[in-house]
Amino acid sequence: MTIRLGLGLPQMRQYDLGRDVPDVARAAEETGYESLWVFERILFPEPASQGLYGIPGLPWPDAYRSVADPLVTLTLAAAATRRARLGTSVLIAPLHLPFQLARALASLDAASGGRVVAGFGTGWSLDEYAAASVAPFERRGKVLDELIDVCHAVWGPDPVAYEGELTTIAPSVVRPKPKRPIPILLPANSPRALRRLVDRADGWMPIGMGAEALATQWQRLQDLAAERGRKEPVAGVLRVNARLTATPYEGRERKPFQGGVEQIVADLAAHAAVGLEEILIDLQDGARDAEELKDVATEVYTAARAAGL
């Protein structure tokens, strides 16, 4: 079966949000991309209290200085397209009030005809938590659990009622409802996060860092699902942050998904062989503007399909 391909939408500072998001979304759908995706960064601390991904000394990329709001970006894309699914990779759960986020996603799904895919994570930035979180960093897993509970309640039948640590919903009518059940995807790296995924989510959203490591993680997840008696298959959407370069990494090892189109497609093929259903390709960071992003996205998509992906 041909793997589904998705594209990351332009959210960074080199893009004009109101003009470029609808333009790229339409072009991607016409090219054949089956899904459109956003990510979340809310600020760029100077200086940061911790390194990128919590790794000491690792600087934040300059591209994070300006990242458009993910739900605003998806709404612009929804209005410009008709078929492509609209995904978040990922929304940082503790930066949102669970009820408001659940209702916003339901409205977007209803407006788009049932195209939303909700990828949730817990985040890593202490600075983002200090600015906007609804609970301390140490409680991030519990916040994610409550968000999932609230989403299921809000998206389910009326009257909606819920009692949690952060959220209380008296029996109420909460509408609009999603057009169909919204899939929930989680990154899930730790044993606890993997159990949460198997027990409570619809699918897995890993980062592409090497086909061998991905295959090991995927098998571990399948084994855990069988061990815990999960009946439904675990969906899989792989996120790859790709960069097209003319002469990559001479004299040192090339990173996955960086290099020429042929090299990127070869990496896509190696990762696709692991067995996940879909690959999200985010090319926006390396493009100078929307025109270049559209050109590169078309080139990568065409080459991938020509290679049998």
Side-chain angles (χ1 to χ4, degrees):
M1 181 181 69
T2 301
I3 194 166
R4 295 198 301 261
L5 295 176
L7 182 69
L9 289 167
Q11 295 174 260
M12 296 176 177
R13 63 179 177 176
Q14 68 266 46
Y15 303 105
D16 182 295
L17 184 64
R19 179 193 66 206
D20 292 343
V21 171
D23 184 33
V24 170
R26 278 191 296 266
E29 187 175 71
E30 291 170 2
T31 297
Y33 283 99
E34 295 173 84
S35 55
L36 303 166
W37 298 83
V38 292
F39 75 105
E40 184 163 45
R41 282 269 75 82
I42 65 167
L43 48 73
F44 188 95
E46 292 184 319
S49 65
Q50 62 179 158
L52 183 69
Y53 309 134
I55 301 172
L58 186 62
W60 289 43
D62 195 59
Y64 284 179
R65 287 183 178 276
S66 178
V67 178
D69 180 87
L71 294 186
V72 171
T73 304
L74 276 190
T75 301
L76 290 167
T81 56
R82 292 294 176 266
R83 300 180 306 278
R85 287 171 300 110
L86 308 163
T88 62
S89 175
V90 292
L91 295 177
I92 303 170
L95 305 185
H96 299 267
L97 290 172
F99 178 82
Q100 292 180 351
L101 181 56
R103 190 167 179 275
L105 290 170
S107 296
L108 180 58
D109 192 73
S112 65
R115 294 190 280 148
V116 171
V117 179
F120 297 142
T122 55
W124 51 267
S125 169
L126 298 179
D127 294 288
E128 289 184 329
Y129 269 76
S133 70
V134 298
F137 185 78
E138 294 74 21
R139 293 178 57 202
R140 61 195 182 278
K142 291 184 177 180
V143 176
L144 177 55
D145 284 331
E146 181 157 325
L147 174 61
I148 294 171
D149 286 340
V150 171
C151 283
H152 287 152
V154 169
W155 300 342
D158 293 325
V160 174
Y162 181 81
E163 183 71 37
E165 293 186 33
L166 300 170
T167 311
T168 298
I169 309 171
S172 305
V173 174
V174 183
R175 297 188 180 184
K177 298 297 184 184
K179 192 75 173 180
R180 90 302 186 223
I182 297 176
I184 292 177
L185 307 181
L186 303 175
N189 296 311
S190 70
R192 178 178 296 179
L194 286 170
R195 290 193 297 272
R196 177 188 293 116
L197 190 160
V198 167
D199 294 344
R200 314 200 59 212
D202 298 289
W204 183 43
M205 180 165 276
I207 295 288
M209 297 298 289
E212 184 176 346
L214 179 67
T216 299
Q217 293 174 334
W218 182 237
Q219 186 59 56
R220 181 175 60 174
L221 180 57
Q222 299 296 318
D223 292 343
L224 182 63
E227 176 186 318
R228 297 181 74 83
R230 181 180 173 119
K231 304 301 182 184
E232 304 83 7
V234 178
V237 179
L238 174 71
R239 179 187 180 92
V240 300
N241 299 316
R243 179 182 286 269
L244 187 66
T245 58
T247 55
Y249 306 104
E250 292 182 0
R252 58 192 176 97
E253 184 178 357
R254 182 180 67 89
K255 297 180 180 179
F257 304 107
Q258 299 196 17
V261 170
E262 290 184 359
Q263 293 170 312
I264 291 174
V265 170
D267 289 336
L268 290 173
H271 285 71
V274 172
L276 280 70
E277 301 171 1
E278 185 165 3
I279 298 178
L280 147 64
I281 308 168
D282 197 325
L283 295 155
Q284 65 175 306
D285 185 18
R288 289 169 296 184
D289 53 32
E291 291 303 313
E292 184 174 44
L293 175 58
K294 289 188 295 182
D295 289 345
V296 173
T298 299
E299 190 175 359
V300 169
Y301 181 90
T302 302
R305 292 310 189 205
L309 295 180

